[in-house]
Each structure stands twice: as structure tokens, then as C-alpha cells.
Amino acid sequence: QNSASSALKPMGFRAEDFRYAIGSNEVMKIDSSGRVTMPYQPMFDAYLSANYTTGSSGVYNISASGSWGNRTNTGSHFVNSTGTFTAPVNGKYLFVAGLGVQSYPTSSYLSCEFQVNGARRYIHWFQNYGTSYAAANNSAVINLNANDYVRLVSETHVSATYIGHSSGLYSHFGGMLIG
């Protein structure tokens, strides 16, 4: 049950926008064009900050095996040390990911996939046709319950070096609550 000070209530509005607050914090604004901003909406934008090399073929939990940094982590629901996002509330979440791999052999395959509560789901495959860099990407809208968790996983049939860098340019993992 909400106390009077924590209940969502109109913060006031002018002809050009509506603003809502909890206490003195503006939690939602709808401007005169209908654009909605919610500065406390859970979201993260993380990146692999150092290279990660696998063994031979297999499924690799990039989240747990890699070293992660983040540009944004609203609500702190993504944990860098485990590469894991935990849903704070029930809802639909959008996830995106991209994995860069260096010196990947011709006719090799790898996946970019989301693991939900330990189960592989939303698998996107890539087959390399060159002998240089390769990339696999994925995006999915996933219905989660509070405390469900999502990790980034990849399968390869040869040893692979996933590219990580402090700039966050090569391999990334992000997500946000959309409704």
C-alpha cells in the first residue's frame, strides 16, 4: 500500500505538458507532442570491456565469462561482475546484443542468443564467409516476471575471441522495460 508521500500524483501541468511525480521526483512527463519520458525506467547499455577467448566448440556464457562495463544502468539491475540483468518488475523488455569476433575462420558459425533463467532462447545464427572479423547480432522482446534474469550466450564450433574494449565499440548487451 502506498503512503500519501509515495503515491503517484500529478505534479502540475501547463498547456504544453503533463508531469507526474512520486514525492518530489518527476517520474513521467508527457509533452504537448505526446512524447513520454520516464527517467527512472529500468534500462542498461553494457559492453564487453576486454577480449574473451573460448576453448573449442561449445556454448559459452559470455555474460559470466566476460569483463563488463556499462554506459548506463538505470536502476542498477545489470550487474557488471556477472553480466546479468534481473527484471525488477513483471513486464515486456526489449533486449539487443552484438558480438564482434576476431580472426574467425571461413565457414565457421557462431550464435548471439539470450539465456532466460538459464535456458537458451532467442537464438540468431551467423555463418562467416571470410577469414577476418565476424559479428552476430540479436534483438528480442521478452516477457519477464520480477526476478527473472537474462544473460548473453554464444555457441561456436571453433575457438573464438570475442572482442572487448574499454570504448565499448565491439561487443554489447542492452535492455529496457518497454511496458
Side-chain angles (χ1 to χ4, degrees):
Q1 182 174 5
N2 288 335
S3 69
S5 65
S6 68
L8 181 66
K9 43 190 157 178
M11 188 178 188
F13 58 92
R14 297 171 291 203
E16 67 272 3
D17 59 27
F18 290 95
R19 297 170 188 258
Y20 293 89
I22 296 178
S24 62
N25 295 322
E26 182 177 292
V27 296
M28 183 171 66
K29 175 182 169 184
I30 305 171
D31 73 10
S32 61
S33 296
R35 293 177 292 231
V36 178
T37 56
M38 295 178 288
Y40 297 101
Q41 191 79 340
M43 68 91 57
F44 72 99
D45 178 14
Y47 57 89
L48 196 59
S49 60
N51 286 359
Y52 168 65
T53 302
T54 67
S56 59
S57 66
V59 177
Y60 293 91
N61 183 339
I62 305 303
S63 284
S65 304
S67 174
W68 292 93
N70 67 64
R71 292 179 195 87
T72 303
N73 191 7
T74 304
S76 301
H77 305 291
F78 179 82
V79 179
N80 286 356
S81 62
T82 63
T84 302
F85 173 82
T86 303
V89 296
N90 297 351
K92 291 176 178 46
Y93 292 79
L94 171 66
F95 290 94
V96 296
L99 293 171
V101 180
Q102 66 185 18
S103 304
Y104 208 63
T106 302
S107 299
S108 299
Y109 66 85
L110 67 120
S111 69
C112 180
E113 52 194 89
F114 301 113
Q115 184 186 66
V116 180
N117 297 329
R120 293 171 69 193
R121 295 181 37 197
Y122 307 99
I123 300 170
H124 183 251
W125 291 99
F126 171 83
Q127 182 166 356
N128 189 26
Y129 296 102
T131 57
S132 186
Y133 294 95
N137 303 287
N138 201 345
S139 62
V141 173
I142 304 174
N143 193 34
L144 297 175
N145 294 314
N147 298 314
D148 284 350
Y149 63 91
V150 179
R151 294 183 176 140
L152 186 59
V153 176
S154 182
E155 181 176 355
T156 178
H157 80 282
V158 295
S159 178
T161 298
Y162 295 88
I163 306 168
H165 191 271
S166 61
S167 67
L169 294 175
Y170 303 105
S171 297
H172 62 91
F173 179 29
M176 67 180 295
L177 174 64
I178 59 173

